[in-house]
Amino acid sequence: MCTDGHARDPWLPDRLLKTERDLLMPLLRRTPEAAYELRTACPGWTARQVLAHCAAALVRIVEGRLEEGVFLPEANASDVAEREDWPLGRILDELERGLTEAGPVIAGHEDGRLDAVALGEWVHAGDVREAFGEPGAYCGAALDLALPLLAVTSRKRETPRLVGVLADRAGEVDLGNAVEGRPPARFHGDAATLIRIYSGRPLVRTRYELTGATEQELLIYR
């Protein structure tokens, strides 16, 4: 698959969120509550806290509560703390509502500034899957929606151009922006590892080749 991230598809985030809802919520509903205290790749956050953050971010979008600094670390921590005493079921209900209702609101923002939130929700779902020991943490059935959204986000976040050859996908992915006088970086590896690099997730036990750019240059969440 070759992804073309130059033209924004406003409904791509909605499709990703609803696909992830249908994949993730059954897993979350059947997982024992004790597992939610497991630590994730997000420093200091348990699976429960990651999901509380995801739910809060999406419902803020749904309700239009997008004041300045809303997605900065301090605001995220405040949203998580607000939900510390909530029953787990309430957090999961809020998350399911957000995954269902946020997409059309994101589509309505013509500047695309909220598209990266949808991608971040999918990455956080991977964080939780990894904490639970589930296979395919940053891969799975929604990957074919996440990769085009990564292409859009990598350009909007002004990462340098990279051409990726994925071991588990046909064709190439074209990410980031061309830099005058600088040839595109090259990546050889699997799709999940590419996602880990761009989202700043741990690369332990991965195997890949990256030339022409550093991992730090490719981060879309800083």
Side-chain angles (χ1 to χ4, degrees):
M1 182 185 70
C2 184
T3 61
D4 178 7
H6 290 283
R8 176 184 182 242
D9 176 354
W11 289 99
L12 179 58
D14 182 59
R15 294 196 298 275
L16 177 61
L17 291 173
K18 287 178 178 171
T19 298
E20 191 54 46
R21 174 199 64 193
D22 294 344
L23 294 169
L24 182 65
M25 294 311 303
L27 169 65
L28 298 181
R29 299 285 188 191
R30 68 174 181 263
T31 297
E33 189 161 347
Y36 287 84
E37 300 309 314
L38 292 169
R39 295 287 167 176
T40 69
C42 302
W45 276 6
T46 63
R48 175 192 172 95
Q49 289 168 322
V50 167
L51 294 170
H53 160 61
C54 289
L58 289 174
V59 169
R60 279 186 173 278
I61 290 172
V62 170
E63 297 177 351
R65 294 184 288 111
L66 299 174
E67 62 270 16
E68 186 176 353
V70 66
F71 296 132
L72 293 178
E74 296 81 3
N76 293 337
S78 178
D79 283 340
V80 170
E82 180 185 340
R83 288 155 176 77
E84 198 64 37
D85 296 327
W86 286 19
L88 176 62
R90 183 179 176 186
I91 293 174
L92 298 185
D93 288 345
E94 184 180 51
L95 176 63
E96 186 163 6
R97 177 196 173 195
L99 290 168
T100 302
E101 299 180 15
V105 181
I106 293 172
H109 283 259
E110 295 182 1
D111 59 4
R113 68 186 182 93
L114 296 177
D115 291 6
V117 176
L119 181 62
E121 295 281 324
W122 180 79
V123 172
H124 278 318
D127 298 334
V128 172
R129 284 190 178 91
E130 187 166 63
F132 287 173
E134 293 289 320
Y138 303 100
C139 201
L143 179 64
D144 287 337
L145 297 170
L147 284 174
L149 194 52
L150 175 61
V152 173
T153 304
S154 67
R155 292 186 173 97
K156 202 166 188 66
R157 298 295 171 92
E158 299 184 347
T159 63
R161 187 178 174 215
L162 176 143
V163 176
V165 178
L166 303 182
D168 48 353
R169 288 291 187 279
E172 297 180 339
V173 291
D174 192 342
L175 307 176
N177 303 294
V179 178
E180 186 175 356
R182 177 176 177 174
R186 304 287 300 187
F187 170 87
H188 291 262
D190 61 43
T193 299
L194 185 70
I195 296 293
R196 287 177 181 274
I197 289 172
Y198 274 86
S199 60
R201 267 41 185 186
L203 293 164
V204 177
R205 293 189 298 171
T206 61
R207 181 179 297 173
Y208 64 95
E209 180 183 346
L210 175 64
T211 58
T214 66
E215 289 84 354
Q216 186 67 29
E217 288 180 290
L218 301 178
L219 287 176
I220 55 173
Y221 302 116
R222 305 188 184 205

